[in-house]
Amino acid sequence: MIIVDAHQHYWQPSRGDYGWLADAPEALRAAFLPADLQAQRKAAGVTASVLVQAAPTEPETRYLFELAQQDAGVVGVIGWVDMEAVDVEARIDALIRDGNGLLCGLRPMAQDLADPDWLASPALDRAFDCIQARGLAFDALVGMPQLPALLRRLQRQPALRVVLDHAGKPSIGEAPIALWANWIDQLSAHPQLYCKLSGLLTQLSGTTHEEAIAPYAQHLFASFGSTRLIWGSDWPVLTLRASFEHWLRLAQTYTERYAPGTQADVFAANAVRCYALKLDTHS
């Protein structure tokens, strides 16, 4: 079976534009580059991956295009653009050109912004219109504080193809599941919204056992079904809790438990469809 990792990162801290790493665990402050992942990915049986931005700069997106040339497994890049720039359309077009077919989506780091309502700002309408017109996906890197604004954006632009990163980052083992589940129910009512089955291990609080993820996975399958869930590793952030292969096998276990017979969709076909990846999942 072809497996696509729809969410992984590479980064080089010496570039100087990964500000969030200053407050990250020390284990993440190193460089993570193609040579650090390729053997693990091959051993786990993962065919291809989508590389996701980790710095809020357009030069970092172009750096990812360069790294993709060193890693034949990368079939798409989700980049960053200044969505408030007056020339945002030209900036997006330039990234599409420079990516030479690799750019498949854009992701602002909304979870790190002071204004939780930023995603709903009318000042972003032109950027969202351009993302939609260019056939790109919008990756929503949000936590619970930003979910109301994301919902308002979906209501205003129902045709926008959106991917909810890391299931909206629930606090597993720390906060009641009900509030998160209510937001997931409202968001999943929008048929153009996909959700990543990713990042859940690192959402576990303290010493909470990984089996605490099960009711969250069950709710995701109940809300999105097997046609709008997309698996991603979130490597190397994943390494704070588990190995690449461990999370893959755990996600496969949950998929077989809550949506038997749908592995090909969750682990490949949905990502290919959502991001319009040039990958034949039937080969």
Side-chain angles (χ1 to χ4, degrees):
M1 181 180 79
I2 287 178
I3 299 176
V4 177
D5 178 358
H7 197 106
Q8 62 118 135
H9 304 283
Y10 291 139
W11 59 65
Q12 174 53 271
S14 64
R15 287 176 42 77
D17 50 2
Y18 304 92
W20 64 275
L21 277 177
D23 298 318
E26 187 174 353
L28 295 182
R29 296 178 202 164
F32 290 90
L33 298 168
D36 302 309
L37 178 63
Q38 287 168 323
Q40 297 179 60
R41 195 170 59 201
K42 183 177 180 180
V46 173
T47 310
S49 69
V50 175
L51 192 52
V52 181
Q53 64 80 226
T57 67
E58 292 164 30
E60 196 248 1
T61 297
R62 292 183 167 88
Y63 175 62
L64 297 183
F65 294 153
E66 294 174 11
L67 290 180
Q69 302 307 315
Q70 305 171 28
D71 184 350
V74 173
V75 293
V77 170
I78 297 165
W80 185 95
V81 73
D82 183 354
M83 294 183 63
E84 295 180 283
V86 295
D87 61 342
V88 64
E89 295 96 340
R91 289 169 180 258
I92 292 174
D93 287 341
L95 289 175
I96 291 172
R97 181 195 65 230
D98 294 348
N100 194 28
L102 281 170
L103 190 73
C104 60
L106 290 166
R107 183 178 88 147
M109 301 175 84
Q111 68 171 12
D112 298 331
L113 301 179
D115 181 6
D117 293 324
W118 181 78
L119 283 174
S121 170
L124 304 180
D125 288 353
R126 287 172 51 244
F128 279 113
D129 286 343
C130 185
I131 290 170
Q132 183 175 324
R134 302 301 188 269
L136 300 172
F138 171 74
D139 263 46
L141 177 61
V142 295
M144 293 290 290
Q146 293 84 29
L147 293 182
L150 176 60
L151 181 61
R152 294 202 299 277
R153 174 59 62 184
L154 289 168
Q155 290 167 339
R156 291 216 324 257
Q157 291 182 281
L160 182 69
R161 193 161 16 102
V162 179
V163 185
L164 179 63
D165 283 358
H166 314 321
K169 306 192 79 169
S171 298
I172 303 175
E174 194 170 273
I177 191 174
L179 180 59
W180 168 84
N182 178 62
W183 279 111
I184 289 296
D185 291 343
Q186 294 184 64
L187 290 164
S188 64
H190 292 263
Q192 288 292 89
L193 178 71
Y194 291 76
C195 179
K196 281 184 181 169
L197 184 62
S198 64
L200 295 179
L201 279 173
T202 48
Q203 290 303 119
L204 290 169
S205 62
T207 58
T208 303
H209 191 270
E210 66 182 30
E211 188 55 33
I213 292 173
Y216 291 83
Q218 182 177 22
H219 195 80
L220 290 173
F221 278 101
S223 298
F224 290 97
S226 61
T227 59
R228 287 191 290 146
L229 280 178
I230 301 172
W231 178 75
S233 69
D234 197 26
W235 186 91
V237 182
L238 168 68
T239 61
L240 295 174
R241 291 293 299 226
S243 69
F244 185 94
E245 185 161 8
H246 180 77
W247 168 237
L248 171 60
R249 304 310 172 210
L250 184 60
Q252 289 174 326
T253 297
Y254 288 138
T255 302
E256 196 57 34
R257 182 185 302 175
Y258 301 122
T262 66
Q263 302 271 354
D265 292 325
V266 176
F267 292 90
N270 296 344
V272 170
R273 182 174 66 254
C274 175
Y275 290 120
L277 302 176
K278 296 178 177 66
L279 185 67
D280 181 5
T281 58
H282 301 292
S283 61

